[in-house]
Amino acid sequence: MQACTALAFNLRRKTEFLVALADYSIKCFDTETKELVSWMRGHDSSVSSISVNGSGRYAITTSTDTAQLWDLDTFQRKRKLNVRHSVGIQKVFFLPLSNTILSCFRDNSVFAWEFDTLHCKYQLPTAVEGSTFLYKSFAVTRDGRIFVAGGKSNHLHLWCLESKQLIKIIQMPTKVRAVRHLEFLPDSFDGGSNQVLGVLSQDNIMRFINIETCKLLFAIGSHEEGISTAAISPNGRYIASVMENGSVNLYSVQALTQEANKPPPPQFKVVEDWPKCKSEANKLTMKVTSGRSERPWKSKGNKIQTRLLKVQANTSLENKENELPGGLNKKRLQALLKGYGEYPAKYSLHFNYRMFVWRSLLQLPENHLAFSSLIDKGTHSAFVNIQNEYPIKSRKLLRVLQRTLSALAHWSAIFGETPYIPLLAFPFVKLFQNNQLICFEVVATVVVNFCQHWFEYFPNPPVNVLSMMENILAHHDKELLQHFIKYNVTSQVYAWPLLETLFSEVLTREEWLKVFDNIFSNHPSYFLMIVVAYIVCSRAPLLHCNQRQDFEYFFHHRNNLDINVVIKEAYHFMEATPPDIHPQRVLDDFVPLTKGQYPVFNKYPKFIVDYQTQEWERIRQDEIEYLRERQLMHELEAKAQERKAEDEAWYRKQELLREAEEQRRKMLLEEEKKLAEQRQRLAAVKRELKVKELQFLDASRRRFLKYQQDQRQMELKRLDDEIARKASIREQETAATVQDVEVRQMELESQRQLFEQHLIKDQESSTQEMKEDIDASRRKADLEDHVVQRLVETDREEKQKAQMVAEENLAKAEQKCIEVDWRLQALHKLRHDDQDREKRYEEIAKLLHDNRVKEAELLKAMREAEEKKWEEVIQKKAQLEEEQKAAAAAHEHRKQFLEDKMNGALDLAEKLQREDGFFERLHDLKAGRTGRGVEFQQVPKSGNVCLNDLSASESSSYMSSVRRQELACQERELMAEVRQLRQKLTAQARIRHPPTHLSSTKWTT
């Protein structure tokens, strides 16, 4: 469990709140889920305060070394304010109703920052006391205009944030040596310009003062039960304080402010002298006039003279009736009014004397609870859209007017239906806009007393009141009345506009205040008399009017008229009007509003108002229903538009997908074309490589033939030498012949070995690309070469070479047959694959349009194709086995044939050795001649044939193996594409037509 250093509420999500903990972190909790929402870190010291702006989205946390701005939607830090440790931060907070951040530092400097750009807007000037005054606590009014700071002193500094000037320094009592906490007391009727400030000092007592009058209103706490900290409710009704002993006290502001709500002490003082007898008759008073006492005046002889006014006993009752709240006397006020013509506007800079006199004359009860209950009912339905009918520029004035009219309508239903109530109340609203309670009670008092009998003929104008005024006008100025009658101008034209607007349209502010000074100081009938007096005093311009529009314009606009003359004329009418037509006979005397609860106002035709209220309610319900239907229609239209937009977006998306698919297809075709071109280039490269290889083989063959010819020529030379030696010496001939045979055998053996080395080199370069069948054929060729060499060792070269030629021709024929078979098989496979592909394409087209039955047919066709394939594979395997058997039989036949020939050659050689010498020599000579001729003619031929045949067979076998590999690779690629196409088509068919009970089919290769 960690200690909490700061708390903050009023976030955008009302169920969340911020808590600063002792580990320098800030946590956000949710009161509903009781879970941790976020955890913010960034401070290196304890957080002393948290300020949340009006929208609840941003918060500023302050510690001694830094202030950080947080976004409460993402709980991320946006900006950071760093200062030097020698300066330090006291507090950083948002100003209400403003886009400004105020930062207060320990060096008494105060800066204002723009929230959006965080640029410095201004700096407040340094206080008078300089560095000795250390700010510790701060407070701002709800309208963000007044800023108060206090610290280690009994002085409070007040700044006006609009002018950026220090406007006042308030000195607290001497008991206050330091200020710990400052907080303004909210008031529902002050429009945010708070006047009462709570000051918690070092003695643990919280004192509440009025910053305008600098008077101590009340205090909470004591030396025995000191206050540790305190907080005021947002509506300003309650004060919660945490005491030093750990208890929590809750105070009612209304109970504490009973003394503060009393009117200020009268400026007209009454000096009283009480004798031993305390009876009212023996009371002596001295009257003070003009707000100041009359000082004794000195005569010429420098003698002081005084006046004593003796009060008689029979005047006590009259004085009691004329006594007003606050120590004022109505008779004296009337005498003052007749002497000066009006009440003084201001007694001092901060005290409006006229308003105080009016409150005293009207005897306002100041029923806070009753008025609060009316305000709590909210805005009346009749005045919700009052700004449309009365577009007032000042939002504050419009809001006060709306609240006052709503309170009147909640007090009595007639005021919600009366169309001229806003005109009647507006002058008082504008005059008392800073105190809504006084404004409401003044308007209510005027309606109850000075608007008597106005609502008896509702919704028509008060015909009875207008008739009384017409009678008075007929008595005092009959000619003007006849002029009105002549041009059909009734009292509703010349009297009712003045009544319903309370002269606010025809008088200036000063004239209007002077008129109502006299109206509030006299009987309610004086109001009607002053209306008649205004008409009579305007008789000269009115007698020149001869059109109804001119009369209407005259009584709705200001005119050049002396208001003092009108007031005197009204007093004359009050005295000169006969009693039978005097309004005083009909109108009641002034009756103030009752204390505690306001009186019931029902002097109107209730059934008409109720019926009209019902009609208005019905119309309002119809309007609400109409608005609801229109809203529903707009929502449906919005949904339709949204659905249309979604459809268009879906179609656009489909179009984009289709275009993307077409683009991908084009890309695929281009890639296929590129792949085909690459394959063609690869095939061309392979052909070039093959041609180069053949050229290399041909060059090597030619070199080998040239070398063989050279060897043969050398051999012939040696044979000639041997024949010459045999002609001379017989024995030497035989030995030479034997030696020649041996040398010949050795040469043939060396040639054979050299040829085998070349062949081995060529075979090693091609063994990596040839398969097992090529190796087998090479081994067979090597065996045949060994057999041929054995036959070459014998003297039966012609038959052996003829046999080798026959065998080589047979091998070529077999190789060509194999290549033709492979080509035929490849062509058959390609043709069969093309047929299968065409069948598949047809089946694909059918699958796109047919249902599950077509899919089953496709599967059946594919199974049949698979069976045909397997049958072809079996047939090909059978053919391959037969060909392998035939090749084996041919190989055995060639082997047996070579063995027979070899045996025959050996038998013939033994037979020739057994013959005699002459025959042997003759035979040798003939054999030598014929042998040389045969060697000269046939050995090169046999060498050429043998080399060509071997290279051709090897190259053809190599080409056939490469061709078979290419065909096999193409076949595998083709089968892979077919499988992918089958899988894709099957997946599309399953998506569009999912199978229900068909068994799954797995295609294998």
Side-chain angles (χ1 to χ4, degrees), residues 387 390-398 426:
Q387 67 275 4
Y390 300 96
I392 302 174
K393 293 183 179 180
S394 175
R395 295 180 61 86
K396 176 183 177 182
L397 190 60
L398 180 63
F426 181 73

Side-chain angles (χ1 to χ4, degrees), residues 331-491:
K331 289 295 184 181
R332 297 193 185 98
L333 291 176
Q334 289 177 351
L336 178 65
L337 184 62
K338 287 183 180 180
Y340 292 94
E342 61 179 334
Y343 295 122
K346 289 187 178 180
Y347 178 76
S348 64
L349 183 62
H350 301 289
F351 180 69
N352 194 323
Y353 183 75
R354 172 179 276 134
M355 299 300 104
F356 169 67
V357 172
W358 282 15
R359 291 168 64 179
S360 300
L361 288 172
L362 299 178
Q363 303 178 28
L364 302 181
E366 299 187 15
N367 299 325
H368 288 271
L369 292 178
F371 180 68
S372 298
S373 64
L374 294 176
I375 291 296
D376 292 341
K377 292 181 180 179
T379 304
H380 195 270
S381 59
F383 306 108
V384 172
N385 298 320
I386 192 174
Q387 67 275 4
N388 298 331
E389 188 175 357
Y390 300 96
I392 302 174
K393 293 183 179 180
S394 175
R395 295 180 61 86
K396 176 183 177 182
L397 190 60
L398 180 63
R399 185 170 61 253
V400 175
L401 177 62
Q402 190 178 42
R403 287 184 178 179
T404 304
L405 296 178
S406 299
L408 289 171
H410 291 310
W411 176 41
S412 181
I414 184 64
F415 300 122
E417 306 297 331
T418 306
Y420 55 84
I421 281 294
L423 299 175
L424 187 145
F426 181 73
F428 300 103
V429 170
K430 193 171 183 180
L431 196 61
F432 296 98
Q433 57 181 323
N434 290 329
N435 196 330
Q436 299 179 29
L437 171 64
I438 302 300
C439 177
F440 169 77
E441 292 187 348
V442 169
V443 175
T445 304
V446 169
V447 170
V448 171
N449 291 279
F450 299 95
C451 300
Q452 297 181 35
H453 308 289
W454 280 27
F455 308 100
E456 293 178 358
Y457 294 92
F458 181 81
N460 300 315
V463 181
N464 50 353
V465 177
L466 297 177
S467 299
M468 287 189 292
M469 298 175 66
E470 190 173 353
N471 293 334
I472 298 171
L473 181 61
H475 177 75
H476 294 286
D477 198 340
K478 192 171 184 180
E479 181 184 357
L480 184 59
L481 180 61
Q482 291 298 329
H483 181 72
F484 288 153
I485 296 172
K486 178 180 178 180
Y487 293 102
N488 196 21
V489 176
T490 63
S491 58

Side-chain angles (χ1 to χ4, degrees), residues 719-730 733-734 737 740 795 912 915-934:
L719 289 174
D720 290 337
D721 294 336
E722 288 177 359
I723 292 170
R725 285 192 301 273
K726 285 181 180 180
S728 60
I729 304 171
R730 184 177 179 181
E733 288 181 355
T734 304
T737 303
D740 288 339
D795 295 328
L912 288 174
E915 292 181 355
D916 55 357
F918 177 76
F919 180 76
E920 183 179 359
R921 286 193 302 270
L922 182 62
H923 183 269
D924 289 336
L925 290 173
K926 290 181 179 180
R929 291 177 182 176
T930 58
R932 285 193 299 269
V934 170

Side-chain angles (χ1 to χ4, degrees), residues 182-226:
L182 293 173
E183 188 170 0
F184 278 98
L185 181 64
D187 192 351
S188 302
F189 315 118
D190 57 6
S193 58
N194 309 127
Q195 303 294 323
V196 180
L197 176 65
V199 182
L200 179 62
S201 57
Q202 88 289 342
D203 57 358
N204 299 329
I205 298 176
M206 192 167 189
R207 298 171 175 85
F208 288 84
I209 62 172
N210 190 310
I211 61 175
E212 293 292 335
T213 61
C214 299
K215 291 184 178 181
L216 178 64
L217 302 180
F218 60 90
I220 58 176
S222 62
H223 296 287
E224 293 78 12
E225 294 183 358

